[in-house]
Amino acid sequence: MKTENHTGVREFIFQGFTSFHEHKLTLFVVFLTLYLLTLSGNVIIVTIISIDRHLHTPMYFFLTVLSTSETLYTLVIVPRMLSSLAGLSQPISLAGCATQMFFFITLAINNCFLLTAMGYDRYVAICNPLRYMIIMNKRVCAQLVWGAGSIGLFVATIQISSVFRLSFCYRKVAHYFCDIRPVMKLSCANTTIHDIINFLVSSLVIVVPMVLVFISYIPIISTILKIASAEGRKKAFATCASHLTVVIVHYGCASIAYLKPKSENMRDQDQLISVTYTVFTPLLNPVVYTLRNKEVKDALCRAIGKKTLA
């Protein structure tokens, strides 16, 4: 790799999917389709929850916030990726790269902790149903959402400050967006300390909320198994199944992407993992909560029925 004078590196160039050059058109069509499905799915969820009073509960309040966050998350990454696949890729300035990384980190961490808040919501609903609306009042819900967003903003600010203090000797980012590891590889300096800090931060913001969610499911499952009727157990588990599905996939992808040992010779694999959590995972939320959730399906049917009658 040719070293450049770091004073001249004012912008980066994304190398994108160079290993899949022959399949760029196919990838463009597939990713564009998934992107449009993600946007439309999340818009439908937010709209249905907003207009249907049956869904004005803490669980669906969190789902609305998560869907909005996932939509913004894809808007930060996918449009530039699609333009790159279409051959319209443009260099990105250091400020532009820092901005993209900032919003990516903020929204990704926000999503992690929102799923934790949703886990707590399910814990209260199943284990303490008589006091559910008292415990999960509007103030508590707002505080949980504020906390998730604040953690994301705080960590993103620290990470951006750390990464963009470095001087850069190279311009070509071996990725399709400004992620921390690929950008740090362009530095002139030794980034070992930064790599360790990045790993520790990633571990905390992924492992801590993940552990909290799984801990909350221990009493949830225990309580469900104690329900006398099979129908009651089925109904109780159904209220948690959608959340648990999203949690397993979301934290699973994040763990593989950021907690595995880095390797210089696994760029293609890293990109495929990145595609999973930037393109496929955001689509999972609307798919799971519309196809597997009876309340949302019923609300959707009511909305369609009213529109037909009108």
Side-chain angles (χ1 to χ4, degrees):
M1 187 183 288
K2 184 181 176 182
T3 303
E4 302 175 31
N5 186 331
H6 73 266
T7 58
V9 178
R10 302 296 182 194
E11 60 186 21
F12 295 135
I13 298 172
F14 296 122
Q15 291 185 306
F17 299 92
T18 51
S19 299
F20 304 94
H21 182 76
E22 296 178 357
H23 306 288
K24 276 192 173 183
L25 179 58
T26 303
L27 291 175
F28 175 82
V29 173
V30 171
F31 292 159
L32 176 62
T33 303
L34 293 173
Y35 178 55
L36 294 176
L37 287 172
T38 300
L39 291 180
S40 57
N42 281 315
V43 168
I44 288 170
I45 284 180
V46 172
T47 304
I48 289 298
I49 292 173
S50 300
I51 65 176
D52 195 302
R53 60 184 179 80
H54 297 91
L55 301 181
H56 291 176
T57 64
M59 173 182 170
Y60 292 106
F61 167 71
F62 290 124
L63 179 57
T64 299
V65 177
L66 180 63
S67 293
T68 303
S69 182
E70 291 278 23
T71 301
L72 295 174
Y73 177 80
T74 56
L75 286 170
V76 169
I77 305 296
V78 180
R80 184 173 278 274
M81 180 185 74
L82 291 173
S83 67
S84 176
L85 288 170
L88 304 173
S89 179
Q90 297 291 326
I92 186 170
S93 65
L94 290 182
C97 184
T99 302
Q100 185 187 53
M101 189 184 293
F102 176 81
F103 283 109
F104 166 70
I105 295 171
T106 299
L107 293 167
I109 294 173
N110 179 58
N111 293 344
C112 283
F113 283 93
L114 278 176
L115 288 172
T116 307
M118 293 172 78
Y120 176 68
D121 172 76
R122 290 300 81 207
Y123 163 75
V124 177
I126 299 296
C127 301
N128 207 343
L130 297 179
R131 301 189 65 233
Y132 176 59
M133 293 308 295
I134 297 173
I135 296 173
M136 297 303 296
N137 56 59
K138 289 183 179 180
R139 184 182 173 207
V140 170
C141 292
Q143 286 174 339
L144 289 170
V145 169
W146 179 85
S150 298
I151 293 170
L153 286 168
F154 177 71
V155 174
T157 301
I158 292 175
Q159 293 282 64
I160 296 301
S161 300
S162 173
V163 172
F164 286 90
R165 275 201 193 118
L166 298 169
S167 56
F168 298 101
C169 290
Y170 312 103
R171 299 179 64 212
K172 293 183 179 180
V173 182
H175 211 352
Y176 57 86
F177 73 98
C178 284
D179 203 354
I180 296 176
R181 277 185 182 176
V183 171
M184 284 202 300
K185 287 180 181 179
L186 307 181
S187 173
C188 308
N190 186 316
T191 61
T192 302
I193 299 299
H194 290 82
D195 289 333
I196 293 171
I197 293 172
N198 179 50
F199 178 78
L200 292 174
V201 170
S202 298
S203 299
L204 286 173
V205 298
I206 294 172
V207 174
V208 170
M210 179 171 63
V211 168
L212 289 174
V213 169
F214 288 127
I215 287 175
S216 72
Y217 268 93
I218 295 173
I220 287 173
I221 293 171
S222 176
T223 302
I224 291 174
L225 293 176
K226 291 176 183 176
I227 297 174
S229 68
E231 185 63 29
R233 287 195 298 271
K234 182 180 178 182
K235 185 176 179 181
F237 185 74
T239 64
C240 302
S242 299
H243 175 251
L244 196 54
T245 302
V246 173
V247 161
I248 291 170
V249 175
H250 182 93
Y251 289 127
C253 291
S255 298
I256 294 170
Y258 291 100
L259 303 184
K260 70 178 181 62
K262 67 176 183 176
S263 171
E264 299 293 332
N265 302 315
M266 298 178 69
R267 178 185 156 192
D268 293 346
Q269 181 182 326
D270 289 344
Q271 283 196 339
L272 290 175
I273 293 170
S274 297
V275 166
T276 302
Y277 68 78
T278 56
V279 179
F280 290 96
T281 303
L283 177 61
L284 182 70
N285 187 39
V287 168
V288 168
Y289 278 100
T290 52
L291 297 182
R292 289 180 57 91
N293 189 292
K294 186 177 184 300
E295 289 180 322
V296 174
K297 286 193 289 186
D298 289 346
L300 190 57
C301 290
R302 286 194 292 269
I304 294 172
K306 285 180 183 178
K307 188 174 180 180
T308 303
L309 290 173

